[in-house]
Amino acid sequence: MALDLIIGAQWGDEGKGRITDLLAEQANIVARFSGGDNAGHSVTVGDQLFKLHLIPSGVIQPGTTCCLGSGMVINPGKLIEELDQLAGFGIDVSPQRIQLSSSAHLITPAHIFLDGARETQRGEDQIGTTKRGIGPAYTDKTARSGIRVEAMLDPISFEEKMRRHLTEAKDLLERVYASEAPPIDETIELYLEYAERLRPHISDVGALIARALSAGQSVLAEGAQGTLLDLDYGTYPYVTSSHPTTPGALLGLGVGPGYLQRIVGVTKAFQTRVGEGPFPTELDGHLADQLRGSGENPWDEFGTTTGRPRRVGWLDGVLLRYAQRVNGFTELAITKLDILSGLESIQFCKAYSARSQTFDNLPFGPADLSPYEPVFEELPGWKTDITAVKRWSQLPAEAQGYIEHIEAYCGLPARLISVGPERDQIIRRD
Ligand code: IMP
């Protein structure tokens, strides 16, 4: 009977996948609404690790229908790979269960080549994209020359659309970027095969979700990336090309706000970022290595999609409060609290300073953070391992104090707190 949203409050990689996995227990439908296979969600169930890039993490919960919404950009080859991988684990990926919006846009190899060529051309000003063709696919969408998923329903016109797109892109790649282009005939042939395979999954996802909501069912929308990567509200131009925020969720699913209930802002207990762009509370040296982990464990701070080491830093309250403003969070989920165990003290960024002035709000949004220095407050750390803690009352007083500090700063309850990668390592404070 409700539409609940899971939204990244930072630069992505907040651990949204596992929060989705948990809340999907009560959901009838789990849906992605923006981005594409630039996202990477890891969910651990027992000794199995699932790495998902396109299909919502809720697929791990039996009985849910999983939707890929109209705000997404879809690499069909990657989607098929993921369907096959999940089927190999015995997970139901039938067309009845996995529904693909007819108005989502397709990513082609030409978009991937263009992503690489544009990054090379930016030189020192690179964004550090995932090189999955995301930006060029959204560029075509906005230029009204993109290819929508629905084009795959009719092989004859799909072939024509693909040929026009690949020919134009070849011209652009070769003449403007002096770059290679993907082969036209082979690519068309491959995409016709993809279309054949994906056709039974294509539907009007917005209508399906609206019907489910009015029939009293629960829908969980799973954000990819995070607020600070939003095209309009993030650290532009170091952003992705979609809207991983509350307004983006409504647009990318095709339903209005009437059924909205919980809007869960997911934040790590510290801060991470992959790719270029401002990061006022960034750390380096030994402490950064400690927070990042060695890379041996799947939950260490290395990109799920690209394997790049993530930049790490202290939790930035100013940016968290900004994310709350943009999204209208009703609660927070705080992940990876266990990673802070063992520290003597924890720094929390409560304001910025610039030109002898202090700001606890951003006067012009987060695009240009270069004038600001973070103003930290120091909170006591805790020494004990908290990974076996199941209840709030079992947490050390200092860990409770840290969470309560964040809650008071944001004026929001933290209802879910994760203390380890497993399903049962989440403290619920309902
Ligand atoms: P793009 O989305 O590949 O165009 O990359 C644009 C920026 O968003 C780069 O800084 C990427 O590292 C970042 N980005 C894209 N997807 C994710 C994600 O799922 N997690 C974290 N960062 C991401």
Side-chain angles (χ1 to χ4, degrees), residues 11-13 38-40 127-130 134 225 229 239-240 274-275 308:
W11 282 291
D13 307 316
N38 48 348
I127 291 165
T129 75
T130 57
I134 307 294
Q225 292 86 41
L229 290 173
V239 292
T240 190
V274 254
R308 291 180 285 181

Side-chain angles (χ1 to χ4, degrees), residues 160-334:
E160 278 167 22
K161 284 183 176 133
M162 282 294 294
R163 188 168 301 281
R164 196 177 320 129
H165 156 72
L166 291 168
T167 309
E168 262 179 42
K170 181 173 162 52
D171 193 40
L172 187 62
L173 278 160
E174 290 177 350
R175 290 205 306 161
V176 176
Y177 296 103
S179 153
E180 260 187 291
I184 294 179
D185 289 326
E186 286 94 317
T187 306
I188 293 175
E189 204 175 308
L190 191 64
Y191 269 59
L192 287 170
E193 280 170 31
Y194 292 157
E196 202 63 44
R197 168 82 191 270
L198 291 176
R199 205 163 291 138
H201 293 271
I202 301 173
S203 72
D204 182 346
V205 160
L208 182 134
I209 291 177
R211 266 198 310 276
L213 286 168
S214 63
Q217 296 194 348
S218 296
V219 178
L220 185 63
E222 172 182 352
Q225 292 86 41
T227 304
L228 301 171
L229 290 173
D230 184 281
L231 181 60
D232 286 329
Y233 299 110
T235 47
Y236 190 90
Y238 300 99
V239 292
T240 190
S241 301
S242 65
H243 299 287
T245 40
T246 298
L250 299 176
L251 198 60
L253 293 177
V255 290
Y259 288 98
L260 267 183
Q261 193 171 282
R262 288 171 81 176
I263 307 175
V264 185
V266 187
T267 174
K268 276 179 189 157
F270 49 103
Q271 197 94 12
T272 65
R273 160 161 224 172
V274 254
E276 304 307 316
F279 188 165
T281 60
E282 186 166 10
L283 287 164
D284 55 18
H286 173 68
L287 192 49
D289 292 340
Q290 188 180 332
L291 295 181
R292 185 180 299 112
S294 61
E296 276 162 37
N297 303 308
W299 53 86
D300 288 342
E301 298 295 350
F302 290 77
T304 315
T305 302
T306 57
R308 291 180 285 181
R310 294 182 189 138
R311 299 157 65 194
V312 295
W314 296 116
L315 184 59
D316 190 325
V318 180
L319 292 179
L320 187 56
R321 206 140 69 175
Y322 170 77
Q324 179 196 345
R325 189 207 91 195
V326 169
N327 294 293
F329 297 141
T330 58
E331 62 188 88
L332 293 173
I334 300 181

Side-chain angles (χ1 to χ4, degrees), residues 90-108:
I91 292 172
D92 174 13
V93 289
S94 60
Q96 294 68 38
R97 186 165 190 228
I98 311 286
Q99 300 270 306
L100 172 58
S101 168
S102 54
S103 42
H105 276 246
L106 288 177
I107 294 180
T108 72

